[in-house]
Amino acid sequence: MTAKSIISKLRYVLALVVVACMVLGCGQQEEKVQANQNDTVVDSSIQGIVGTWFEDGVLDPRTLTIKADGTYELAYKGGGKAYGTIRVTAEPHPDGTSSLWYIFDENDGKNWAGFAKNDDGSLQTDLWSGQDGKMHFIRSQDNKKYGNTEGISPNDYLGVWACGRATAVIEKKDNKYIATITWAKSAMESREWYYSCRYDKEKAILVCPGNGICTDCIVYDNGKENDINVYSDGSCELIMREGVLRWKDKKENAGKGLEFLR
């Protein structure tokens, strides 16, 4: 199946998703209202802490690696490792508010630690444990901008990625990596970004230097399509870490906050 046929089918699927959202409200609004009547809605995402962390303020610091699949690895300086899973819980307060926590459970079910979670789910640079902050982990400097590059190859970028109404298709053609990102605006309209990228081996990212094409796509009731060029000088960085693809759009910052998964 060619990239063009994949993208056409994705447009159709995205249109169906948008229609379903309009008719059913995606169930999210009703679900949140119901949850607010009974309890606090909990954002269970751990994407804000995915990456490598180093323990601060101790003689023998440990290294904490958090993966996008909700698992972690704790490596001791003298040797040995511990493994487990991560979940998110909400601690209610008398005034009706709540505090979010990342709960780390060892594989045998024993709780290892709990770290405060940012209320807005943004990328965190510090992990403080419990109410007393006894343990402190600092995000690796490499992860702050480009993340840990160890073990990443250009082939890890290839395939179909999705984030809500947005979909990214990345394929290799000759020595270039072609990324097509489609974002549905409504049932009949979508915006599409087409990037011809090179692979930056040092940073382990895909880079489009300035020839990205942005197009508005309209699908009419009779099935015909009309593509309107928005601009042809776009640039971006595509960064894949721990199974999560992030899109840094240098033209209009359209990819802010988006995290694509396979």
Side-chain angles (χ1 to χ4, degrees):
M1 184 179 294
T2 65
K4 185 174 181 180
S5 62
I6 292 176
I7 293 167
S8 297
K9 288 188 177 181
L10 287 174
R11 286 183 185 174
Y12 177 73
V13 172
L14 287 170
L16 292 178
V17 170
V18 174
V19 172
C21 289
M22 292 177 176
V23 175
L24 302 176
C26 286
Q28 294 179 357
Q29 183 174 0
E30 180 180 354
E31 181 179 337
K32 287 187 177 181
V33 171
Q34 182 66 29
N36 285 331
Q37 291 175 350
N38 301 313
D39 202 351
T40 302
V41 176
V42 177
D43 177 9
S44 60
S45 171
I46 68 161
Q47 298 304 324
I49 60 171
V50 170
T52 303
W53 302 77
F54 300 111
E55 193 170 13
D56 181 48
V58 297
L59 293 177
D60 296 313
R62 295 169 291 182
T63 300
L64 177 63
T65 302
I66 299 174
K67 301 181 180 180
D69 62 1
T71 62
Y72 73 87
E73 173 188 294
L74 182 66
Y76 293 84
K77 188 174 181 180
K81 295 180 180 180
Y83 303 89
T85 57
I86 307 167
R87 54 191 170 90
V88 178
T89 63
E91 177 187 6
H93 302 305
D95 62 357
T97 61
S98 62
S99 299
L100 298 179
W101 294 89
Y102 294 108
I103 305 300
F104 287 66
D105 297 320
E106 297 177 357
N107 282 339
D108 60 4
K110 182 180 178 181
N111 174 252
W112 168 58
F115 298 94
K117 172 181 169 67
N118 286 353
D119 292 336
D120 59 2
S122 60
L123 188 73
Q124 295 188 206
T125 57
D126 295 271
L127 288 175
W128 295 92
S129 67
Q131 301 291 348
D132 56 4
K134 185 177 180 179
M135 285 189 292
H136 180 211
F137 285 82
I138 300 175
R139 181 181 288 275
S140 166
Q141 292 294 322
D142 290 337
N143 281 303
K144 287 184 178 181
K145 188 171 184 180
Y146 293 111
N148 184 11
T149 62
E150 184 178 355
I152 297 176
S153 73
N155 289 336
D156 293 331
Y157 284 85
L158 303 180
V160 180
W161 303 78
C163 177
R165 296 182 182 182
T167 303
V169 178
I170 302 176
E171 60 179 351
K172 186 176 182 180
K173 290 185 177 181
D174 298 325
N175 293 324
K176 296 181 180 180
Y177 294 84
I178 306 301
T180 304
I181 300 174
T182 305
W183 195 342
K185 294 182 178 180
S186 67
M188 308 303 290
E189 296 183 40
S190 63
R191 175 162 286 192
E192 186 173 282
W193 293 262
Y194 178 91
Y195 298 109
S196 178
C197 304
R198 62 177 177 81
Y199 182 68
D200 187 319
K201 186 175 181 180
E202 181 180 352
K203 298 175 182 176
I205 64 175
L206 297 181
V207 179
C208 176
N211 56 357
I213 300 172
C214 178
T215 306
D216 279 338
C217 307
I218 302 174
V219 180
Y220 299 101
D221 292 337
N222 59 9
K224 292 186 177 180
E225 298 182 9
N226 183 27
D227 295 339
I228 303 172
N229 180 264
V230 180
Y231 56 79
S232 302
D233 59 349
S235 59
C236 78
E237 292 180 347
L238 294 170
I239 305 170
M240 194 285 298
R241 299 293 182 268
E242 302 290 346
V244 179
L245 179 70
R246 293 178 175 85
W247 166 36
K248 291 191 175 182
D249 173 26
K250 299 296 185 68
K251 179 72 174 181
E252 53 185 356
N253 203 25
K256 182 179 180 180
L258 297 184
E259 296 180 337
F260 293 83
L261 300 175
R262 290 189 191 277

